[in-house]
Amino acid sequence: MASQQTMEEKEKKNQEYNEYVKRVTPTHSLPANMVKAFVVGGIICVLGQFILNMAAGSFNLDKETAAGWCSMILVFLSVLLTGLNIYPRIANWGGAGALVPITGFANSVAAPAIEFQKEGQVFGIGCKIFTIAGPVILYGIFTSWLLGLIYWVLILIGVF
C-alpha cells in the first residue's frame, strides 16, 4: 500500500512539474521565426548591396575595393550598434537573419569585449574578445590548412 501511494505521489509530482514546464517554456512559431530571419537578413544584404553600389558608382572604386569597403562599413556598423545595445535586440528579434552575415560575426567579437571592458584592457577586453569568435577562427584556419594539405597531396600523386 505504501509503495502504491508513493508511486501515485510521484506521478502527481511529475504531472505538476510537466504542467509547470509547459506553462513557463516560451513557445515559438517556426514560420514566424523564418520570416523574421528572412526580413532581417534581407535588410542587412540590401544595405550591403547599397554600400557596394555607392562605393562602385559614386566613388568609382573597382569591384574588389568596393567589396572591401562594404565589408568594413558593415562590420563597423555592427560593432557600433552592439556598443549602443541595439544589435542584440535586432538579433533577438531576427534570429539567424542577424547572426549569419558578417555583421553577426562582428557582433560576436565585440559583445564580449564590451561586456568585460570594466576588468581592464588585458584581463577584460584582451582575454574575452575572442571567446565566441576565437574557436570559429581557429577551426576555420585549421580546416583550410587541412584541406590545402589534402589538395597538395592529391596534386603530388597526379589526381589533379
Side-chain angles (χ1 to χ4, degrees):
M1 284 251 191
S3 65
Q4 186 177 3
Q5 192 175 21
T6 58
M7 290 294 285
E8 289 174 3
E9 288 175 2
K10 284 183 181 180
E11 284 183 34
K12 185 178 178 184
K13 284 184 180 181
N14 282 341
Q15 185 178 4
E16 288 174 359
Y17 177 74
N18 289 336
E19 289 173 4
Y20 168 75
V21 168
K22 192 174 184 180
R23 202 172 50 247
V24 297
T25 302
T27 56
H28 300 286
S29 168
L30 181 62
N33 287 346
M34 290 170 58
V35 168
K36 289 176 184 178
F38 180 78
V39 168
V40 170
I43 289 171
I44 292 171
C45 291
V46 166
L47 177 63
Q49 189 63 49
F50 174 76
I51 294 168
L52 188 65
N53 290 349
M54 289 298 292
S58 298
F59 297 105
N60 296 323
L61 299 175
D62 62 282
K63 190 175 182 179
E64 291 175 8
T65 306
W69 275 100
C70 176
S71 296
M72 286 191 304
I73 291 170
L74 285 174
V75 166
F76 170 76
L77 290 174
S78 173
V79 171
L80 179 66
L81 292 176
T82 299
L84 297 173
N85 202 27
I86 297 170
Y87 201 87
R89 290 187 220 147
I90 295 169
N92 190 32
W93 188 82
L99 298 177
V100 172
I102 192 172
T103 54
F105 185 73
N107 170 264
S108 72
V109 172
I114 292 168
E115 182 179 347
F116 289 95
Q117 72 180 349
K118 62 185 170 278
E119 295 183 25
Q121 295 289 322
V122 176
F123 293 113
I125 296 172
C127 290
K128 298 294 182 178
I129 194 164
F130 290 114
T131 55
I132 295 173
V136 173
I137 295 169
L138 173 69
Y139 290 115
I141 290 171
F142 177 73
T143 303
S144 34
W145 174 82
L146 184 63
L147 291 174
L149 181 65
I150 292 169
Y151 180 70
W152 179 67
V153 169
L154 291 175
I155 288 175
L156 284 179
I157 62 175
V159 174
F160 291 113

